[in-house]
Every structure is written in structure tokens, then in C-alpha cells.
Amino acid sequence: MRIDVLTVLPGLFDCFLKEGVIGKAISSGKVEVKVHNIRDFTTDKHRVVDDVPYGGGPGMVLKPEPIFRAYDELTKEGEKPYVLLTEPWGEKFNQEMAVELSKKPRLMIICGRYEGVDERVKSLVDREVSIGDYVLTGGELPAMVIMDAVLRLIPGVLGNLESLRADSFSDRGLLGYPNYTRPAEFRGMKVPEVLLSGHHKKIESWRKEQSLRKTLERRPEIIENLKRKGLLTKEELE
Ligand SMILES: O[C@H]1NC=Nc2ccccc21
């Protein structure tokens, strides 16, 4: 997969693209992420990327020209990208959308900023996406959240597919089970015996029960939803 990011703050992405799972996925060539500074697509001396809103009002709006110039330049060759715009009022990002986006061969993420982008930019956009009902200073962190959730789903990026399978939100949206590692007892807190038993069937059913219990406790609507769709087995319903 290739992702092109358009932003006025490219420096915010430096660590994200170098460290951890994402950093390895890029350095190994499994995925390609290019961050572009919208300012590099201005033509005036002061490299202006924003301006005051027509009709008055607070703050600044990202101008259309530099973004369109960047889009034209970056789509001259190769597959047309599926274009996202990070917006406070966009469609709520979730695991389902992450799975859908992970299947696209090429993405472009335009990072919203200031009081937003000129409305005409949206003629380039396939999906306006928000990561939540709170207002951030810009769309760069949302772009990183989206890339993190999407890139980890690309085959080969996460070493052990098992951890992908056991993820929260991936087994029918149930929350994940509790995890423990050595030592078996720490400050008086013991690891549940079943996990030390080596009895895989018992461990599996304990984990399933913990996952159902945690989901019922914290996100009852997920259980209700699965019940309605008949996606819970008889044992799970007990
Ligand atoms: O993803 C959004 N969630 C919250 N705040 C934002 C601010 C700018 C762009 C995008 C978002």
C-alpha cells in the first residue's frame, strides 16, 4: 500500500514513521508512506497556505490552490488514490472502516487544519473522517491514528497474525481478554491458575468468558447487537 499525506506540519510525522511496527513496515518496504508539505505547492514568495474566511468569522481556512496543485502533482502517475480528509465533523472512524481502507492499494490523507479547509477541496475527497467528538488543533494526529489502525492490518506488517486475531474489536467486536506475562505473582497479585495449566481448551474458554464479561460490563450494546444478529452461540449466551 502507498499513502500520501498532505499537511502543513510534516514534522509531526517524523517519529511516527520511524518507530515501532509502522517504522518497520516502512523500512522493510511492506508499505510506502510519503508526507508532503502543502507549503511546497504554493507559488507565492510567502508560501501562503491559508487565508481569512469569506463572510468573516474567526481563524483561517486552508486555501484550495496549493492542495489541488499537490493532488495534481501526486496523481500524475500511478493508481488514483482513495482520498481521505480529516475533519472534526467527518464520519466516525472505526475498525470496520480501518479494514475497508486497508484493502485500498493507495490512500491520500489531507490533514485538515485551522478552522477547516476550503469547501472546494472536498471535490477531491472520497471520505471525510473524524476520530472523535472533540476538537483537536489539526488533522495530523487523526491522520496518524488512521494510518496506525490501517497499516497494522496489511498482511506481513504485524509479525504474529495471532495478535491480530486476538485483537479487541476484531472477534465480532468483542473486547479483548486480560493478558498476563511473567512473573506468576507480582506484589501479591497472582496470574489466574488456568493460564498456567497448559490446558489449551480451558484457556480458550476462560478467555472467551472474560471477553464476553468485559464486553457486557463496558459495552453492553455490542452484546445486544450480536444477540440481535444471532452471532452469539448458545454457550456464549449462558
Ligand atoms: O479527526 C477529527 N477529530 C477531532 N478534531 C479534529 C480536528 C481537525 C481535523 C480532524 C479532527
Side-chain angles (χ1 to χ4, degrees):
M1 172 186 281
R2 170 175 169 173
I3 303 182
D4 290 285
V5 179
L6 300 190
T7 171
V8 293
L9 294 172
L12 284 180
F13 293 85
D14 291 352
C15 294
F16 174 71
L17 299 177
K18 273 206 277 290
E19 302 292 332
V21 169
I22 303 299
K24 281 200 193 75
I26 294 169
S27 55
S28 67
K30 284 198 184 69
V31 297
E32 192 186 2
V33 179
K34 293 186 181 312
V35 178
H36 309 276
N37 187 343
I38 294 172
R39 257 182 230 292
D40 294 344
F41 296 91
T42 56
T43 52
D44 62 302
K45 187 154 67 79
H46 300 292
R47 293 164 49 91
V48 174
V49 290
D50 60 329
D51 202 342
V52 295
Y54 274 121
M60 303 289 271
V61 174
L62 282 181
K63 291 170 61 62
E65 303 99 315
I67 295 174
F68 273 80
R69 256 184 234 113
Y71 179 85
D72 293 344
E73 180 61 30
L74 294 167
T75 56
K76 256 200 252 176
E77 89 293 334
E79 183 122 23
K80 282 275 177 270
Y82 188 80
V83 184
L84 307 180
L85 169 68
T86 53
E87 271 272 317
W89 309 283
E91 196 181 331
K92 198 63 66 51
F93 183 64
N94 58 25
Q95 192 65 19
E96 206 176 312
M97 196 192 296
V99 172
E100 184 199 331
L101 294 176
S102 71
K103 296 177 175 118
K104 306 282 183 195
R106 188 179 174 191
L107 297 176
M108 178 179 284
I109 307 180
I110 302 172
C111 299
R113 196 148 252 306
Y114 308 112
E115 266 53 45
V117 294
D118 182 284
E119 196 64 13
R120 289 159 293 189
V121 168
K122 297 185 181 175
S123 63
L124 300 174
V125 173
D126 296 297
R127 212 80 169 269
E128 296 171 40
V129 184
S130 166
I131 60 165
D133 296 333
Y134 39 82
V135 184
L136 303 169
T137 55
E140 282 73 15
L141 284 175
M144 284 181 249
V145 165
I146 292 164
M147 285 196 277
D148 194 285
V150 168
L151 291 177
R152 64 185 295 281
L153 295 172
I154 306 280
V157 166
L158 267 197
N160 165 8
L161 266 183
E162 178 56 25
S163 57
L164 182 61
R165 193 190 63 73
D167 237 4
S168 289
F169 294 101
S170 66
D171 168 15
R172 295 170 291 168
L174 291 172
L175 301 188
Y177 48 75
N179 280 298
Y180 294 85
T181 186
R182 279 187 281 269
E185 177 167 348
F186 177 68
R187 297 196 179 182
M189 295 177 281
K190 289 185 178 164
V191 170
E193 276 305 316
V194 65
L195 296 180
L196 308 174
S197 67
H199 196 301
H200 295 293
K201 270 264 158 274
K202 280 191 182 160
I203 291 170
E204 178 121 6
S205 61
W206 180 83
R207 284 176 165 171
K208 174 62 74 196
E209 194 222 329
Q210 291 297 314
S211 164
L212 285 164
R213 191 191 299 275
K214 190 197 284 188
T215 310
L216 191 59
E217 211 173 276
R218 293 190 192 164
R219 303 288 302 275
E221 76 282 5
I222 293 178
I223 298 289
E224 284 317 307
N225 208 356
L226 291 175
K227 266 186 193 163
R228 216 185 5 265
K229 291 179 182 169
L231 291 175
L232 287 178
T233 63
K234 208 165 51 51
E235 299 76 25
E236 288 170 336
L237 281 166
E238 269 147 27

